[in-house]
Amino acid sequence: MSRTSLVHLLAALILLGSGVLSPAVHGEETHIRAVRLWPASDYTRVTFEAPQAIHGTLFSVPNPDRLVLDLEGVTATQPLEQMAAQLSPQDPYLRKIRVGHFKPGVVRVVFDLKGPVNATSALLEPVGDYGYRLVLDIYPATATPDPLSPLLDKPALQVQNDTPPGPSLGGSPPALAASSVAPPVAVDVPKHETGTRSDAGGPAPRTLIIAVDAGHGGEDPGAHGEAGTHEKNVTLAIARRLKAAIDAQPGLSAVLIRDGDYFIPLQERTAKAHRLHADLFVSVHADAYINQEARGSSVFALSEKGATSVAARWLAKQANDADLMGGVTTPTRQVYLAQTLFDLSQTATINDSLKMARAVLGELDQINVLHRGFVEQAGFAVLKSPDIPSILVETAFITNPEEERRLNDPVYQEKLAQAIAHGLQDYLHRSGAWRQHVTTLPRTHLAGRTP
């Protein structure tokens, strides 16, 4: 063997021992196994999933506006080639998607835009059933009004301002820092009028706002049943029905925190309720447990000290892991002004929340068995509002085959929505924040209680 050949062989052995070989030599090209698009009014998310870490370079190109993502060491798989077919014409930001080989070992994805945008990308570690995920979040370059704002225009017919509300009802929430988790949204919603007089000289009424939060969404499917039902779909269906039941009452107006299949971080859900000056917050979920025999409805309030049961602690952990599944791409910031203020107001808010929870639980008892005969408490992150009474309703166990079947039944979804709405109505009557001169909800949901 010549000296030159020997040097080349030794160099190759050194590289082999150190692992400094290209992915092509190793045969470790990244294989994109899934691409998902989640359009929403606030932002559009594009997710690339692979068994290995995904490396990409993101940059923008003007005239016309485009985003370019170069995926390095990636093969052009079928999910990549078919991602353009997922694009909806109603996507608020993306006009067209093109995929092709830019150079050996690099797949280029070009997003033709409908206008100027801001965009961020982040690589998420594997969690649950997901592998590595490269997420691209696209949101408007200029902040736009919150899309929920127009929903507050319903005429106000009750809630006299001279009626002392509960400690948490009717007050103006403290100014909150904009969440750094979701795209920034500028909101210009007038605060509730508290000093305006009516034409008759009395206090001016105002509308009570109830925030209805459909649990999970987008990259976070929530729990799933044996038949393949995803919690995020069930919760959205029930939330929409609950909104309709609330909106049917003069002087009450509901806003959906999530009105589509997209991900909203837990902290941003609470922040949205504050920006809209919500008086009550209701989060709709469908239980899951390791035992398929578990069944029944539950209502939760926040706990300051700890969960009321092992199951409650388990459920809270599952719910709080939603941000891991959904993919929070930036560190969260503390949105409350001071821990002391939070502690002082939280106790009164939890007391109100417990009263509201008991009222809702009593109505759910008319249409379904209860998992427990009392309101439970646990550290659900989505309930940690210092000044808005907040409850989490576990409508039924999606992991129970019989309850999964009922959760997919539109008639049963309507019964659940009406029961929750009635419970909220009862709580408002008892708290003194709602006047009886408003027509009451028909109790059609009471028929056909599930044993």
Side-chain angles (χ1 to χ4, degrees):
M1 179 180 295
S2 68
R3 179 175 297 180
T4 302
S5 300
L6 181 60
V7 170
H8 288 168
L9 176 61
L10 289 174
L13 290 173
I14 291 171
L15 288 174
L16 180 63
S18 64
V20 186
L21 288 178
S22 69
V25 174
H26 274 303
E28 292 182 356
E29 290 185 321
T30 303
H31 184 85
I32 303 295
R33 67 185 183 193
V35 180
R36 296 179 289 273
L37 273 66
W38 306 105
S41 54
D42 285 356
Y43 74 113
T44 288
R45 168 166 288 190
V46 183
T47 303
F48 303 87
E49 184 184 354
Q52 308 92 0
I54 308 169
H55 301 287
T57 303
L58 178 68
F59 58 94
S60 60
V61 180
N63 302 319
D65 294 315
R66 286 158 289 164
L67 277 178
V68 179
L69 178 65
D70 283 343
L71 299 172
E72 302 161 9
V74 168
T75 55
T77 60
Q78 186 177 29
L80 274 172
E81 294 169 349
Q82 295 180 348
M83 69 176 295
Q86 297 186 47
L87 182 61
S88 168
Q90 283 73 46
D91 190 296
Y93 309 110
L94 302 182
R95 185 185 307 278
K96 187 178 179 181
I97 300 175
R98 293 171 284 142
V99 180
H101 280 287
F102 173 58
K103 61 184 179 180
V106 176
V107 171
R108 171 164 288 185
V109 183
V110 179
F111 301 91
D112 295 330
L113 304 172
K114 294 181 177 179
V117 301
N118 288 328
T120 61
S121 64
L123 180 65
L124 305 178
E125 296 289 325
V127 61
D129 295 333
Y130 291 128
Y132 287 93
R133 287 174 293 167
L134 180 65
V135 296
L136 173 63
D137 288 343
I138 303 167
Y139 47 95
T142 303
T144 57
D146 194 304
L148 298 183
S149 301
L151 301 177
L152 302 181
D153 295 334
K154 185 178 178 180
L157 296 180
Q158 87 297 337
V159 185
Q160 306 298 324
N161 290 321
D162 59 345
T163 301
S168 304
L169 287 175
S172 297
L176 302 181
S179 171
S180 63
V181 176
V185 179
V187 182
D188 184 18
V189 182
K191 292 186 177 181
H192 298 319
E193 297 289 336
T194 56
T196 304
R197 309 293 289 182
S198 68
D199 293 339
R206 68 169 179 82
T207 300
L208 278 179
I209 306 302
I210 301 176
V212 179
D213 172 46
H216 308 280
E219 282 290 287
D220 172 28
H224 61 84
E226 192 176 54
T229 304
H230 285 151
E231 182 181 5
K232 66 176 182 178
N233 298 327
V234 168
T235 60
L236 182 57
I238 296 172
R240 285 171 171 165
R241 293 178 182 276
L242 176 56
K243 171 179 165 51
I246 293 170
D247 285 344
Q249 296 305 297
L252 296 183
S253 185
V255 290
L256 289 175
I257 298 298
R258 175 175 74 87
D259 191 17
D261 189 10
Y262 50 88
F263 170 68
I264 301 178
L266 297 175
Q267 191 180 71
E268 176 65 11
R269 294 170 189 256
T270 304
K272 274 198 170 188
H274 277 85
R275 291 199 298 266
L276 294 166
H277 310 295
D279 297 281
L280 305 177
F281 182 93
V282 182
S283 191
V284 180
H285 288 252
D287 279 24
Y289 201 54
I290 52 178
N291 180 5
Q292 285 190 344
E293 298 301 314
R295 62 178 304 178
S297 301
S298 304
V299 183
F300 288 84
L302 182 66
S303 170
E304 290 182 292
K305 299 177 181 178
T308 50
S309 69
V310 174
R313 187 181 305 112
W314 188 87
L315 287 168
K317 182 183 183 305
Q318 298 300 111
N320 293 344
D321 283 347
D323 280 355
L324 295 177
M325 297 296 292
V328 174
T329 60
T330 57
T332 60
R333 290 187 293 175
Q334 178 56 266
V335 298
Y336 302 117
L337 300 180
Q339 188 62 41
T340 302
L341 175 62
F342 178 87
D343 291 341
L344 288 173
S345 61
Q346 190 70 73
T347 301
T349 303
I350 289 177
N351 288 336
D352 280 347
S353 301
L354 286 169
K355 294 175 184 177
M356 177 167 58
R358 293 187 192 105
V360 171
L361 190 68
E363 295 295 327
L364 289 171
D365 190 28
Q366 305 300 311
I367 65 166
N368 193 17
V369 296
L370 300 180
H371 184 59
R372 293 179 182 271
F374 54 88
V375 172
E376 294 203 74
Q377 292 180 263
F380 289 94
V382 78
L383 300 182
K384 292 183 179 181
S385 171
D387 59 349
I388 302 177
S390 304
I391 62 173
L392 186 145
V393 180
E394 296 282 9
T395 52
F397 278 85
I398 200 170
T399 46
N400 180 297
E402 177 60 23
E403 292 205 329
E404 178 187 9
R405 182 189 64 78
R406 288 202 302 273
L407 285 170
N408 282 300
D409 180 3
V411 174
Y412 191 66
Q413 291 174 358
E414 182 65 22
K415 286 184 178 182
L416 288 167
Q418 292 289 339
I420 297 170
H422 249 301
L424 297 176
Q425 179 190 29
D426 290 346
Y427 164 72
L428 291 171
H429 276 304
R430 293 172 184 173
S431 71
W434 207 65
R435 293 304 190 188
Q436 183 63 35
H437 67 264
V438 181
T439 304
T440 57
L441 287 165
R443 293 181 173 265
T444 55
H445 72 280
L446 299 181
R449 181 183 188 274
T450 302

mmCIF file of all heavy atoms in Angstrom, residues 197-235:
data_model
loop_
_atom_site.group_PDB
_atom_site.id
_atom_site.type_symbol
_atom_site.label_atom_id
_atom_site.label_comp_id
_atom_site.label_asym_id
_atom_site.label_seq_id
_atom_site.Cartn_x
_atom_site.Cartn_y
_atom_site.Cartn_z
ATOM 1 N N ARG A 197 -75.655 56.421 33.382
ATOM 2 C CA ARG A 197 -77.042 56.352 33.847
ATOM 3 C C ARG A 197 -77.957 56.033 32.671
ATOM 4 O O ARG A 197 -77.699 56.411 31.538
ATOM 5 C CB ARG A 197 -77.480 57.682 34.448
ATOM 6 C CG ARG A 197 -76.519 58.232 35.495
ATOM 7 C CD ARG A 197 -76.466 57.379 36.728
ATOM 8 N NE ARG A 197 -77.696 57.492 37.505
ATOM 9 C CZ ARG A 197 -77.888 56.862 38.660
ATOM 10 N NH1 ARG A 197 -76.963 56.075 39.144
ATOM 11 N NH2 ARG A 197 -79.036 56.999 39.311
ATOM 12 N N SER A 198 -79.034 55.329 32.935
ATOM 13 C CA SER A 198 -80.007 55.010 31.898
ATOM 14 C C SER A 198 -80.884 56.220 31.628
ATOM 15 O O SER A 198 -80.863 57.207 32.360
ATOM 16 C CB SER A 198 -80.864 53.818 32.337
ATOM 17 O OG SER A 198 -81.686 54.191 33.423
ATOM 18 N N ASP A 199 -81.723 56.144 30.563
ATOM 19 C CA ASP A 199 -82.616 57.250 30.218
ATOM 20 C C ASP A 199 -83.605 57.539 31.338
ATOM 21 O O ASP A 199 -84.069 58.655 31.498
ATOM 22 C CB ASP A 199 -83.376 56.930 28.928
ATOM 23 C CG ASP A 199 -82.426 56.882 27.732
ATOM 24 O OD1 ASP A 199 -81.332 57.466 27.822
ATOM 25 O OD2 ASP A 199 -82.797 56.249 26.716
ATOM 26 N N ALA A 200 -83.953 56.500 32.104
ATOM 27 C CA ALA A 200 -84.920 56.680 33.186
ATOM 28 C C ALA A 200 -84.257 57.225 34.448
ATOM 29 O O ALA A 200 -84.904 57.427 35.455
ATOM 30 C CB ALA A 200 -85.593 55.340 33.511
ATOM 31 N N GLY A 201 -82.964 57.434 34.401
ATOM 32 C CA GLY A 201 -82.279 57.991 35.549
ATOM 33 C C GLY A 201 -81.643 56.956 36.440
ATOM 34 O O GLY A 201 -80.919 57.297 37.374
ATOM 35 N N GLY A 202 -81.936 55.682 36.223
ATOM 36 C CA GLY A 202 -81.361 54.627 37.047
ATOM 37 C C GLY A 202 -80.027 54.173 36.502
ATOM 38 O O GLY A 202 -79.566 54.645 35.463
ATOM 39 N N PRO A 203 -79.401 53.258 37.202
ATOM 40 C CA PRO A 203 -78.109 52.744 36.747
ATOM 41 C C PRO A 203 -78.254 52.022 35.414
ATOM 42 O O PRO A 203 -79.244 51.348 35.160
ATOM 43 C CB PRO A 203 -77.699 51.766 37.856
ATOM 44 C CG PRO A 203 -78.560 52.125 39.034
ATOM 45 C CD PRO A 203 -79.825 52.662 38.472
ATOM 46 N N ALA A 204 -77.287 52.204 34.555
ATOM 47 C CA ALA A 204 -77.323 51.555 33.244
ATOM 48 C C ALA A 204 -76.965 50.079 33.369
ATOM 49 O O ALA A 204 -76.036 49.730 34.082
ATOM 50 C CB ALA A 204 -76.345 52.245 32.299
ATOM 51 N N PRO A 205 -77.741 49.206 32.715
ATOM 52 C CA PRO A 205 -77.417 47.783 32.765
ATOM 53 C C PRO A 205 -76.252 47.469 31.842
ATOM 54 O O PRO A 205 -75.865 48.273 31.004
ATOM 55 C CB PRO A 205 -78.700 47.123 32.265
ATOM 56 C CG PRO A 205 -79.268 48.124 31.318
ATOM 57 C CD PRO A 205 -78.918 49.470 31.887
ATOM 58 N N ARG A 206 -75.687 46.313 31.983
ATOM 59 C CA ARG A 206 -74.646 45.861 31.079
ATOM 60 C C ARG A 206 -74.764 44.356 30.865
ATOM 61 O O ARG A 206 -75.455 43.650 31.596
ATOM 62 C CB ARG A 206 -73.249 46.186 31.622
ATOM 63 C CG ARG A 206 -72.851 45.410 32.873
ATOM 64 C CD ARG A 206 -71.375 45.599 33.165
ATOM 65 N NE ARG A 206 -70.950 44.900 34.377
ATOM 66 C CZ ARG A 206 -70.646 43.609 34.414
ATOM 67 N NH1 ARG A 206 -70.741 42.875 33.324
ATOM 68 N NH2 ARG A 206 -70.272 43.032 35.539
ATOM 69 N N THR A 207 -74.078 43.891 29.863
ATOM 70 C CA THR A 207 -74.092 42.471 29.532
ATOM 71 C C THR A 207 -73.058 41.728 30.363
ATOM 72 O O THR A 207 -71.948 42.206 30.555
ATOM 73 C CB THR A 207 -73.767 42.275 28.039
ATOM 74 O OG1 THR A 207 -74.748 42.955 27.269
ATOM 75 C CG2 THR A 207 -73.747 40.808 27.661
ATOM 76 N N LEU A 208 -73.456 40.568 30.856
ATOM 77 C CA LEU A 208 -72.495 39.685 31.517
ATOM 78 C C LEU A 208 -71.812 38.831 30.458
ATOM 79 O O LEU A 208 -72.470 38.242 29.602
ATOM 80 C CB LEU A 208 -73.198 38.781 32.528
ATOM 81 C CG LEU A 208 -73.500 39.372 33.905
ATOM 82 C CD1 LEU A 208 -74.216 38.344 34.760
ATOM 83 C CD2 LEU A 208 -72.221 39.828 34.595
ATOM 84 N N ILE A 209 -70.501 38.755 30.530
ATOM 85 C CA ILE A 209 -69.719 38.010 29.550
ATOM 86 C C ILE A 209 -69.265 36.687 30.166
ATOM 87 O O ILE A 209 -68.656 36.676 31.242
ATOM 88 C CB ILE A 209 -68.488 38.819 29.099
ATOM 89 C CG1 ILE A 209 -68.916 40.205 28.608
ATOM 90 C CG2 ILE A 209 -67.725 38.064 28.016
ATOM 91 C CD1 ILE A 209 -69.896 40.184 27.470
ATOM 92 N N ILE A 210 -69.545 35.588 29.488
ATOM 93 C CA ILE A 210 -69.117 34.267 29.937
ATOM 94 C C ILE A 210 -68.158 33.693 28.900
ATOM 95 O O ILE A 210 -68.522 33.510 27.736
ATOM 96 C CB ILE A 210 -70.319 33.325 30.142
ATOM 97 C CG1 ILE A 210 -71.279 33.918 31.181
ATOM 98 C CG2 ILE A 210 -69.846 31.935 30.566
ATOM 99 C CD1 ILE A 210 -72.542 33.104 31.393
ATOM 100 N N ALA A 211 -66.927 33.447 29.316
ATOM 101 C CA ALA A 211 -65.928 32.853 28.433
ATOM 102 C C ALA A 211 -66.081 31.336 28.464
ATOM 103 O O ALA A 211 -66.046 30.724 29.532
ATOM 104 C CB ALA A 211 -64.524 33.251 28.877
ATOM 105 N N VAL A 212 -66.257 30.748 27.282
ATOM 106 C CA VAL A 212 -66.423 29.297 27.154
ATOM 107 C C VAL A 212 -65.183 28.742 26.462
ATOM 108 O O VAL A 212 -64.893 29.081 25.310
ATOM 109 C CB VAL A 212 -67.698 28.946 26.359
ATOM 110 C CG1 VAL A 212 -67.833 27.430 26.216
ATOM 111 C CG2 VAL A 212 -68.929 29.525 27.045
ATOM 112 N N ASP A 213 -64.464 27.914 27.169
ATOM 113 C CA ASP A 213 -63.180 27.411 26.696
ATOM 114 C C ASP A 213 -63.300 25.937 26.316
ATOM 115 O O ASP A 213 -63.512 25.085 27.183
ATOM 116 C CB ASP A 213 -62.131 27.599 27.794
ATOM 117 C CG ASP A 213 -60.815 26.929 27.466
ATOM 118 O OD1 ASP A 213 -60.344 27.087 26.326
ATOM 119 O OD2 ASP A 213 -60.254 26.244 28.351
ATOM 120 N N ALA A 214 -63.180 25.636 25.026
ATOM 121 C CA ALA A 214 -63.161 24.248 24.570
ATOM 122 C C ALA A 214 -61.757 23.695 24.774
ATOM 123 O O ALA A 214 -60.794 24.175 24.177
ATOM 124 C CB ALA A 214 -63.554 24.161 23.095
ATOM 125 N N GLY A 215 -61.630 22.692 25.609
ATOM 126 C CA GLY A 215 -60.312 22.173 25.956
ATOM 127 C C GLY A 215 -59.558 21.599 24.766
ATOM 128 O O GLY A 215 -60.137 21.064 23.839
ATOM 129 N N HIS A 216 -58.216 21.763 24.825
ATOM 130 C CA HIS A 216 -57.289 21.185 23.839
ATOM 131 C C HIS A 216 -57.480 21.842 22.459
ATOM 132 O O HIS A 216 -58.032 22.911 22.349
ATOM 133 C CB HIS A 216 -57.441 19.664 23.798
ATOM 134 C CG HIS A 216 -57.335 19.048 25.168
ATOM 135 N ND1 HIS A 216 -56.126 18.824 25.792
ATOM 136 C CD2 HIS A 216 -58.297 18.639 26.046
ATOM 137 C CE1 HIS A 216 -56.349 18.294 26.990
ATOM 138 N NE2 HIS A 216 -57.649 18.178 27.179
ATOM 139 N N GLY A 217 -56.993 21.187 21.398
ATOM 140 C CA GLY A 217 -57.113 21.749 20.057
ATOM 141 C C GLY A 217 -55.804 21.720 19.297
ATOM 142 O O GLY A 217 -54.720 21.798 19.872
ATOM 143 N N GLY A 218 -55.902 21.592 17.979
ATOM 144 C CA GLY A 218 -54.723 21.600 17.122
ATOM 145 C C GLY A 218 -53.782 20.463 17.424
ATOM 146 O O GLY A 218 -54.171 19.285 17.438
ATOM 147 N N GLU A 219 -52.519 20.799 17.690
ATOM 148 C CA GLU A 219 -51.501 19.784 17.965
ATOM 149 C C GLU A 219 -51.797 18.991 19.234
ATOM 150 O O GLU A 219 -51.223 17.921 19.445
ATOM 151 C CB GLU A 219 -50.129 20.441 18.095
ATOM 152 C CG GLU A 219 -49.486 20.822 16.783
ATOM 153 C CD GLU A 219 -49.050 19.613 15.979
ATOM 154 O OE1 GLU A 219 -48.055 18.964 16.334
ATOM 155 O OE2 GLU A 219 -49.725 19.311 14.976
ATOM 156 N N ASP A 220 -52.662 19.535 20.075
ATOM 157 C CA ASP A 220 -53.022 18.863 21.329
ATOM 158 C C ASP A 220 -54.413 18.245 21.200
ATOM 159 O O ASP A 220 -55.411 18.933 21.371
ATOM 160 C CB ASP A 220 -52.996 19.885 22.474
ATOM 161 C CG ASP A 220 -53.552 19.321 23.765
ATOM 162 O OD1 ASP A 220 -53.467 18.089 23.959
ATOM 163 O OD2 ASP A 220 -54.085 20.103 24.572
ATOM 164 N N PRO A 221 -54.499 16.946 20.888
ATOM 165 C CA PRO A 221 -55.821 16.339 20.691
ATOM 166 C C PRO A 221 -56.557 16.036 21.978
ATOM 167 O O PRO A 221 -57.747 15.733 21.965
ATOM 168 C CB PRO A 221 -55.493 15.039 19.942
ATOM 169 C CG PRO A 221 -54.116 14.678 20.420
ATOM 170 C CD PRO A 221 -53.403 15.990 20.645
ATOM 171 N N GLY A 222 -55.871 16.102 23.121
ATOM 172 C CA GLY A 222 -56.500 15.710 24.371
ATOM 173 C C GLY A 222 -56.568 14.205 24.487
ATOM 174 O O GLY A 222 -55.809 13.478 23.849
ATOM 175 N N ALA A 223 -57.497 13.733 25.294
ATOM 176 C CA ALA A 223 -57.674 12.291 25.465
ATOM 177 C C ALA A 223 -58.387 11.704 24.247
ATOM 178 O O ALA A 223 -58.975 12.433 23.445
ATOM 179 C CB ALA A 223 -58.472 12.016 26.731
ATOM 180 N N HIS A 224 -58.335 10.406 24.139
ATOM 181 C CA HIS A 224 -59.054 9.755 23.038
ATOM 182 C C HIS A 224 -59.723 8.489 23.543
ATOM 183 O O HIS A 224 -59.246 7.836 24.473
ATOM 184 C CB HIS A 224 -58.119 9.439 21.868
ATOM 185 C CG HIS A 224 -57.005 8.499 22.209
ATOM 186 N ND1 HIS A 224 -57.144 7.130 22.201
ATOM 187 C CD2 HIS A 224 -55.723 8.732 22.577
ATOM 188 C CE1 HIS A 224 -56.012 6.561 22.548
ATOM 189 N NE2 HIS A 224 -55.119 7.512 22.791
ATOM 190 N N GLY A 225 -60.861 8.169 22.929
ATOM 191 C CA GLY A 225 -61.609 7.001 23.320
ATOM 192 C C GLY A 225 -61.202 5.769 22.537
ATOM 193 O O GLY A 225 -60.414 5.839 21.584
ATOM 194 N N GLU A 226 -61.770 4.660 22.926
ATOM 195 C CA GLU A 226 -61.449 3.381 22.278
ATOM 196 C C GLU A 226 -61.839 3.389 20.812
ATOM 197 O O GLU A 226 -61.180 2.770 19.971
ATOM 198 C CB GLU A 226 -62.172 2.252 23.015
ATOM 199 C CG GLU A 226 -61.718 0.858 22.628
ATOM 200 C CD GLU A 226 -62.402 -0.216 23.461
ATOM 201 O OE1 GLU A 226 -63.663 -0.214 23.510
ATOM 202 O OE2 GLU A 226 -61.701 -1.030 24.076
ATOM 203 N N ALA A 227 -62.903 4.113 20.464
ATOM 204 C CA ALA A 227 -63.365 4.184 19.075
ATOM 205 C C ALA A 227 -62.636 5.257 18.278
ATOM 206 O O ALA A 227 -62.953 5.475 17.107
ATOM 207 C CB ALA A 227 -64.869 4.437 19.038
ATOM 208 N N GLY A 228 -61.678 5.953 18.896
ATOM 209 C CA GLY A 228 -60.890 6.943 18.183
ATOM 210 C C GLY A 228 -61.373 8.373 18.310
ATOM 211 O O GLY A 228 -60.855 9.263 17.639
ATOM 212 N N THR A 229 -62.359 8.626 19.163
ATOM 213 C CA THR A 229 -62.852 9.988 19.352
ATOM 214 C C THR A 229 -61.801 10.834 20.054
ATOM 215 O O THR A 229 -61.238 10.418 21.070
ATOM 216 C CB THR A 229 -64.129 9.979 20.206
ATOM 217 O OG1 THR A 229 -65.091 9.127 19.594
ATOM 218 C CG2 THR A 229 -64.706 11.385 20.343
ATOM 219 N N HIS A 230 -61.529 12.023 19.522
ATOM 220 C CA HIS A 230 -60.591 12.939 20.149
ATOM 221 C C HIS A 230 -61.331 13.933 21.026
ATOM 222 O O HIS A 230 -62.353 14.509 20.624
ATOM 223 C CB HIS A 230 -59.779 13.682 19.092
ATOM 224 C CG HIS A 230 -58.718 12.848 18.449
ATOM 225 N ND1 HIS A 230 -58.277 13.039 17.160
ATOM 226 C CD2 HIS A 230 -58.004 11.793 18.926
ATOM 227 C CE1 HIS A 230 -57.350 12.143 16.863
ATOM 228 N NE2 HIS A 230 -57.166 11.384 17.918
ATOM 229 N N GLU A 231 -60.796 14.156 22.204
ATOM 230 C CA GLU A 231 -61.422 15.071 23.157
ATOM 231 C C GLU A 231 -61.590 16.468 22.571
ATOM 232 O O GLU A 231 -62.600 17.127 22.793
ATOM 233 C CB GLU A 231 -60.577 15.133 24.432
ATOM 234 C CG GLU A 231 -61.168 16.018 25.508
ATOM 235 C CD GLU A 231 -60.318 16.084 26.758
ATOM 236 O OE1 GLU A 231 -59.201 15.504 26.759
ATOM 237 O OE2 GLU A 231 -60.745 16.725 27.738
ATOM 238 N N LYS A 232 -60.613 16.946 21.799
ATOM 239 C CA LYS A 232 -60.674 18.313 21.276
ATOM 240 C C LYS A 232 -61.903 18.538 20.405
ATOM 241 O O LYS A 232 -62.452 19.646 20.369
ATOM 242 C CB LYS A 232 -59.404 18.640 20.490
ATOM 243 C CG LYS A 232 -59.216 17.823 19.211
ATOM 244 C CD LYS A 232 -57.982 18.267 18.441
ATOM 245 C CE LYS A 232 -57.817 17.493 17.130
ATOM 246 N NZ LYS A 232 -56.639 17.954 16.359
ATOM 247 N N ASN A 233 -62.358 17.506 19.690
ATOM 248 C CA ASN A 233 -63.534 17.642 18.823
ATOM 249 C C ASN A 233 -64.824 17.658 19.633
ATOM 250 O O ASN A 233 -65.742 18.433 19.353
ATOM 251 C CB ASN A 233 -63.556 16.516 17.795
ATOM 252 C CG ASN A 233 -62.349 16.540 16.884
ATOM 253 O OD1 ASN A 233 -61.821 17.602 16.566
ATOM 254 N ND2 ASN A 233 -61.885 15.372 16.464
ATOM 255 N N VAL A 234 -64.893 16.808 20.644
ATOM 256 C CA VAL A 234 -66.075 16.748 21.495
ATOM 257 C C VAL A 234 -66.232 18.050 22.275
ATOM 258 O O VAL A 234 -67.333 18.614 22.368
ATOM 259 C CB VAL A 234 -65.978 15.544 22.458
ATOM 260 C CG1 VAL A 234 -67.038 15.639 23.546
ATOM 261 C CG2 VAL A 234 -66.132 14.232 21.699
ATOM 262 N N THR A 235 -65.143 18.541 22.836
ATOM 263 C CA THR A 235 -65.245 19.759 23.650
ATOM 264 C C THR A 235 -65.667 20.961 22.815
ATOM 265 O O THR A 235 -66.450 21.801 23.285
ATOM 266 C CB THR A 235 -63.912 20.057 24.353
ATOM 267 O OG1 THR A 235 -62.875 20.235 23.375
ATOM 268 C CG2 THR A 235 -63.527 18.934 25.296
#
